[in-house]
Amino acid sequence: MTNKPANNIQDLQYFGEFGGVNPSISDSATYTFLHAKTMLDTFEGHAEGCYLYSRHTSPSNLYLSKALAAMEFTETANVAASGMGAITSVILQVCGAGDHIISARTIYGGTYAFLKNFAPKLNINTSFVDITSLEKVEAAINPSTKMIYCEAISNPLLEIANLSALSKIAKKYDILLVVDNTFSPMIISPQKLGANITIHSLTKFINGTNDTVGGVVCGSQKFIDSLRNVNDGAAMLLGPVMDSFRAASILKNLRTLHIRMKKHSENALYLARHFENDGLKVVYPGLESHKDHKLFKSMFNVEYGFGGILTIDVGNLEKANELMELMQNENLGYLAVSLGFYKTLFSAPGTSTSSEIPVEEQAAMGLSNGIIRFSIGLDNDIERTYKSMKDCMKQVGVL
Ligand SMILES: *Cc1c(COP(=O)(O)O)cnc(C)c1O
């Protein structure tokens, strides 16, 4: 393994079943055994290279998992049908009734809703804290705490979690640091900063074509084995399994991720700088005005830049909606949730992806309803895009 995410993916060598340069897609739900004994060994998790049933693992899913583990510098990984499938499996694997979680308060809306509304039904309770305050994180730990959960770059406020410092706290109390790295694949390597488990929604940058949902858990062999255990593994028993066809298509897209991330970052930095110069309220980790700019620079893999997500606060929801509709009419992108597409996507998080968060709490965390989240696309001529976006902003009166 090298020290660089993209090199690790490049260095994987695949020989398909018939010598194909892409591995064959495993189109089977169940697998035969030549010897009955091997079936038992496989059940017990001791038969390397043998497949049992595709809810457990399949060759296509293992190829993709292996590539993602290489990218994240973990021993292994397990892909899931969606990011939420990955996140909920990890939480339910680690926590049981009576356990406690410390979570960043600004996280993906679905994760927030799961921790806030669903997990308590199982008597798993969560303290939502400002993850940028290490004192608050440590103060929230109690003897039942099992994990610190955060996003490397938070959604949608783009706060940066100090992963090295959080991992020190986690180690001190012998709890896990679980990081959702969906916004920053290749840019941030949580494992190198001390995280125990790294999760992605593959739906976003990693797949990059918005044609499927998918997720992955990257971690130690021991943890991934426990997730897949036939007797008590959350991934095995809850069954959020990815289909082999999707695993094969995501693997093909993963190979261009490094090129795409660089372009997303280059374009986002260009727009962030220009719109900030124009006097707009822009939040982007690549701007010196970002409160965690220095921290981000101490953590990132510099060649991939500061990521493709930025936000602009245009004051109120009416203006945000007007601007987004106009930008879509002008073909500058789509008014849609999600991120990591070749075209720019924009949405108002307060009324979409973070709408699970009650309005009062949104206000408390600084989530104004005039915020537009942009996932900047792969536009070849970003200057042209900037000019057209600026025209739209002038037309609706935010510039
Ligand atoms: C989209 C997203 C998820 C959920 O992933 P799905 O693939 O939609 O289930 C989790 N975390 C973050 C940061 C996301 O952006």
Side-chain angles (χ1 to χ4, degrees), residues 87-201:
I87 292 164
T88 53
S89 305
V90 167
I91 291 169
L92 296 176
Q93 189 65 31
V94 175
C95 300
D99 287 341
H100 174 247
I101 297 170
I102 292 171
S103 168
R105 58 183 186 168
T106 54
I107 49 171
Y108 179 69
T111 313
Y112 180 83
F114 179 79
L115 291 172
K116 174 108 179 163
N117 307 323
F118 197 104
K121 294 199 281 188
L122 306 169
N123 197 18
I124 299 169
N125 293 297
T126 301
S127 301
F128 295 95
V129 301
D130 175 357
I131 204 77
T132 62
S133 164
L134 299 170
E135 299 77 43
K136 286 188 181 146
V137 170
E138 190 160 0
I141 294 176
N142 70 43
S144 307
T145 308
K146 287 288 181 308
M147 68 164 78
I148 300 174
Y149 182 95
C150 67
E151 294 170 6
I153 305 179
S154 82
N155 179 42
L157 290 178
L158 311 185
E159 291 176 334
I160 309 304
N162 185 342
L163 298 181
S164 308
L166 289 168
S167 86
K168 286 199 185 93
I169 296 176
K171 279 203 181 77
K172 182 170 161 194
Y173 293 91
D174 199 21
I175 59 181
L176 297 176
L177 176 61
V178 179
V179 180
D180 178 339
N181 198 26
T182 301
F183 276 33
S184 40
M186 296 194 163
I187 296 173
I188 290 177
S189 303
Q191 185 74 16
K192 287 189 172 178
L193 301 165
N196 302 96
I197 296 166
T198 302
I199 302 178
H200 283 279
S201 165

Side-chain angles (χ1 to χ4, degrees), residues 308-374:
I309 311 293
L310 60 86
T311 68
I312 299 180
D313 189 347
V314 297
N316 60 60
L317 186 60
E318 292 66 43
K319 279 286 170 228
N321 287 345
E322 200 185 333
L323 178 61
M324 290 191 294
E325 284 170 16
L326 180 61
M327 287 191 298
Q328 178 162 259
N329 286 340
E330 296 297 325
N331 199 11
L332 288 163
Y334 294 116
L335 203 181
V337 297
S338 198
L339 38 125
F341 199 38
Y342 80 103
K343 280 239 198 203
T344 294
L345 302 178
F346 33 79
S347 58
T351 53
S352 59
T353 57
S354 298
S355 58
E356 293 92 340
I357 304 172
V359 180
E360 321 78 69
E361 285 178 40
Q362 290 190 24
M365 59 181 63
L367 187 57
S368 128
N369 69 4
I371 291 180
I372 302 175
R373 184 186 76 187
F374 289 80

